[in-house]
Amino acid sequence: MTGADLFEGFGGLEDDLLIRSRKKGRLEGQSQILWKYGGMAACLMILMGVAVTFRGGREPRWGQEAQESDATVKDGEHPLNALGETLENTNATGGREEKEAIFTEVEKELARPLNSEDLRTLLALDGANLEMATKAYTVSVGGHRADYVGIATSDKAKATLLEHAGEVVADSEEGYQLRKLMGHEDLQYLVSVREAENGEMVGLLKFEKFEEMDYSYREVLETIFHVHGAEDIVKVVVSPASMDNTDEGRTIQEEIGTRFIEDEAVISEIWQMLCGLRREGGKTWEDLGLFEEEGNPVNLREQVRRGRYLTLVTADGMEIDTLKYTGISGRFYEYGGIVYDGLDLEQTKCLEGLLGIDGSENVVGLKDNAGAGKQEGHGMSDIPVDEDNYREARSYDAELEELQEKISKAMMNHELPFVTTSGIRENPDRLHVTVNTRDEAELAKLKAYDMTGKWLEIEYNEGQAMWE
Amino acid sequence: MTDEKIIDSFWERREEAIRETEKKYGAYCLQVAQGILHDEEDASECLNDAWLKAWNSIPPARPEHLKCYLVRIVRNLAVSKYRTKFAKKRGQGEVALVLEELEECVAGQADVEALIDASQLQKTINVFVRALPAKDANLFVARYFYAESIREIAKHHFLAENNVRVRLSRMRAKLKKELEKEGYVI
């Protein structure tokens, strides 16, 4: 027998050994050390640490009710919490076998791939890892340059992310390895890991956009989200747009409500439309037609009425939650200010019917099927009819930009730890700031930055922790 | 498309099965083949052969883990191609180093005419790997199934390269003993 025969013999390794070897995490090593040196006390410490990490998650974007209340996930809702409680009780009364069984359950729970719900629980609720949150990377993938931004995760999330760091996708110049999430083929999230003297530096990155100015949304779906057909999408969740958080705006959002699309034929219809979307010439917010000729934004309540946020839920539990649609110009767009064209009038009417947007016949600025550039009539006097208006260049007020800079700096310096995001969004005349506190004294600190009192738009959202 | 649907397509003899397989696992399988062959053209050929083999073997097979099933086919075809290509000369790339290491386990056996029961050898290897501590088993599989470099393995497992080398060396010594016990090495 030769070494080559032996090498060939390795070709018969069984599935579970191959799968396990691809995890590349420290789970196995950690558990052995725990048993060897730490015994049950160490197990409990780790378990409780993980349980704390998984506590306090929030409903996703579509859970408007959750966004409007202070409710956090209660203890025991995540399987690890329940196991943590059981182990605590078992420590008082149970035997070693019972504890071992529970620990095995915990290992299993940790070993399964993280899904979007798990990731939400890792977002910064306190002790945010802001250094990682400010990172941005460009990764070459599938012939594209993909931009990723750091997400503010809780410091407590480090161990979980480390355990779920999978295949290496790229190395950054700063020495970070950018890895897929273990057990996932998609590239929506990457875990950044770097060895440091006092342990590993770990962060979570989320895909933002391709660097190129022209690409199709289908390329994004296939390359980044690993969605290759309508059958890879199990659900589409349609939530109301939330750019108006006044009482009136919230009332409209409540009236619209959230709808869940699970019918395969309807999902297939939406899939076809998404495949036809194109980002052309790097259009951004300014091209969305959300403001009038005079520079005032289109009535925010109208934006809410005719806007929807889409979340695509994939078969492996991941959520693609960046797509938004506005019926005002009949376009899809994304958080990063990326605007997509490609829907014709017929598709727009069909889509708005599916999304529950009233008055789809009033859509403006859409070309017909023949692409003749014909403008359709509209029913609202405060909406521009001239498509050129949509492309009108608009520079943000210098004062507003200055305010944004100040608040960003304060966030970096940990002076506003309750501020999770800040940016100029749909309303170009406001700085949209997301906070995770309702404490008046804290909010006053934030408001003090806005000397005029007119620039800030504050949204309370405990779970939203992405730094844009 | 989900794995289950791809397998259904194979069973229903629909050509989209190959298309979808290639779309979903093509890049990964190519990476595995290239890791062994270090030649893009050979690796692509290997992939085409693998799709054909999958087409011919499903049905009757209904793999539980399609990805593992495909990777195993690709890996074995790549190894076979490698052996044919370098039958009379020293090979290249990481596999040449891997083979050198494995020679340690069967030292002095190259000249021994022995009929190897391939399936029995595979069984012995599976039992051996399964008995290793999980982390060591993962390192062993990465090196001797996927032919990953020491550097890659060290990176993926958060270990120093030297640590990986020492662990692998100890495991090879253990494997040698196991092969002796089973009568593969005299």
Side-chain angles (χ1 to χ4, degrees), chain A residues 35 39-41 43 47 83 86-106:
Chain A
W35 284 118
M40 291 312 298
C43 291
L47 177 70
L83 287 165
T86 317
L87 183 56
E88 244 181 306
N89 297 334
T90 313
N91 268 323
T93 58
R96 184 178 169 83
E97 275 179 20
E98 206 175 335
K99 288 167 191 167
E100 281 184 14
I102 294 166
F103 192 79
T104 306
E105 281 299 304
V106 172

Side-chain angles (χ1 to χ4, degrees), chain A residues 220-444:
Chain A
V220 178
L221 285 168
E222 291 187 344
T223 313
I224 301 296
F225 299 118
H226 209 63
V227 172
H228 296 281
E231 62 282 356
D232 289 335
I233 301 170
V234 293
K235 184 158 60 177
V236 179
V237 185
V238 185
S239 332
S242 61
M243 64 280 285
D244 185 354
N245 278 298
T246 60
D247 288 345
E248 207 172 329
R250 282 171 177 272
T251 307
I252 300 170
Q253 291 174 39
E254 275 167 28
E255 278 168 14
I256 292 169
T258 301
R259 60 170 66 191
F260 300 86
I261 300 172
E262 291 176 85
D263 183 287
E264 283 180 18
V266 179
I267 290 176
S268 176
E269 193 88 33
I270 293 174
W271 161 260
Q272 290 299 333
M273 292 182 204
L274 295 181
C275 285
L277 299 182
R278 278 203 77 80
R279 184 182 192 209
E280 286 171 351
K283 284 177 186 161
T284 56
W285 296 121
E286 294 83 32
D287 303 297
L288 262 180
L290 298 183
F291 47 86
E292 300 173 51
E293 233 172 315
E294 297 79 24
N296 296 319
V298 169
N299 186 311
L300 280 183
R301 287 185 287 284
E302 199 53 42
Q303 289 192 34
V304 174
R305 278 194 196 96
R306 302 175 67 77
R308 295 293 185 274
Y309 296 167
L310 272 70
T311 300
L312 313 179
V313 184
T314 66
D316 59 354
M318 295 306 283
E319 290 158 13
I320 302 161
D321 61 358
T322 50
L323 263 189
K324 297 173 169 188
Y325 175 82
T326 176
I328 288 175
S329 60
R331 284 190 173 111
F332 275 102
Y333 62 108
E334 289 187 295
Y335 275 115
I338 298 137
V339 176
Y340 294 103
D341 284 316
L343 293 179
D344 59 38
L345 183 61
E346 197 182 320
Q347 284 178 316
T348 307
K349 280 181 179 169
C350 170
L351 179 69
E352 295 192 2
L354 297 175
L355 303 184
I357 299 175
D358 293 330
S360 53
E361 68 280 5
N362 291 333
V363 171
V364 298
L366 285 168
K367 292 174 179 172
D368 59 20
N369 279 333
K374 183 180 142 198
Q375 302 298 318
E376 298 294 322
H378 64 90
M380 291 169 288
S381 59
D382 56 350
I383 296 174
V385 289
D386 180 0
E387 193 157 354
D388 287 344
N389 283 340
Y390 300 164
R391 291 164 179 74
E392 179 186 343
R394 178 190 177 86
S395 58
Y396 297 129
D397 196 296
E399 211 174 326
L400 187 61
E401 285 185 348
E402 196 181 319
L403 175 63
Q404 179 174 22
E405 204 171 306
K406 275 188 201 164
I407 289 185
S408 295
K409 256 188 203 161
M411 288 167 78
M412 287 288 295
N413 296 333
H414 300 259
E415 289 162 23
L416 298 171
F418 52 92
V419 174
T420 52
T421 71
S422 76
I424 300 163
R425 302 266 178 81
E426 288 94 332
N427 186 346
D429 293 327
R430 295 284 183 278
L431 179 63
H432 188 97
V433 178
T434 318
V435 298
N436 60 16
T437 180
R438 288 185 193 275
D439 186 310
E440 286 299 327
E442 297 276 47
L443 292 177

Side-chain angles (χ1 to χ4, degrees), chain A residues 121-192:
Chain A
T121 66
L122 303 179
L123 298 181
L125 300 176
D126 51 45
N129 181 355
L130 281 178
E131 194 200 326
M132 289 312 301
T134 56
K135 301 276 182 202
Y137 292 106
T138 302
V139 177
S140 291
V141 49
H144 293 280
R145 303 273 296 157
D147 290 343
Y148 283 81
V149 290
I151 296 178
T153 53
S154 162
D155 282 341
K156 292 166 190 163
K158 181 179 158 182
T160 310
L161 287 174
L162 202 52
E163 280 159 7
H164 288 84
E167 190 185 330
V168 177
V169 175
D171 291 303
S172 82
E173 284 173 6
E174 295 165 289
Y176 279 97
Q177 283 180 359
L178 307 183
R179 295 157 165 263
K180 279 184 187 177
L181 278 174
M182 193 180 78
H184 284 276
E185 295 294 334
D186 74 86
L187 296 165
Q188 179 174 197
Y189 292 97
L190 297 179
V191 180
S192 57

Side-chain angles (χ1 to χ4, degrees), chain A residues 435-464:
Chain A
V435 298
N436 60 16
T437 180
R438 288 185 193 275
D439 186 310
E440 286 299 327
E442 297 276 47
L443 292 177
K445 280 189 217 165
L446 170 64
K447 286 174 186 168
Y449 283 84
D450 181 10
M451 307 296 278
T452 63
K454 65 178 183 183
W455 299 122
L456 277 182
E457 185 179 73
I458 300 173
E459 182 187 357
Y460 172 75
N461 187 342
E462 190 181 24
Q464 175 72 29

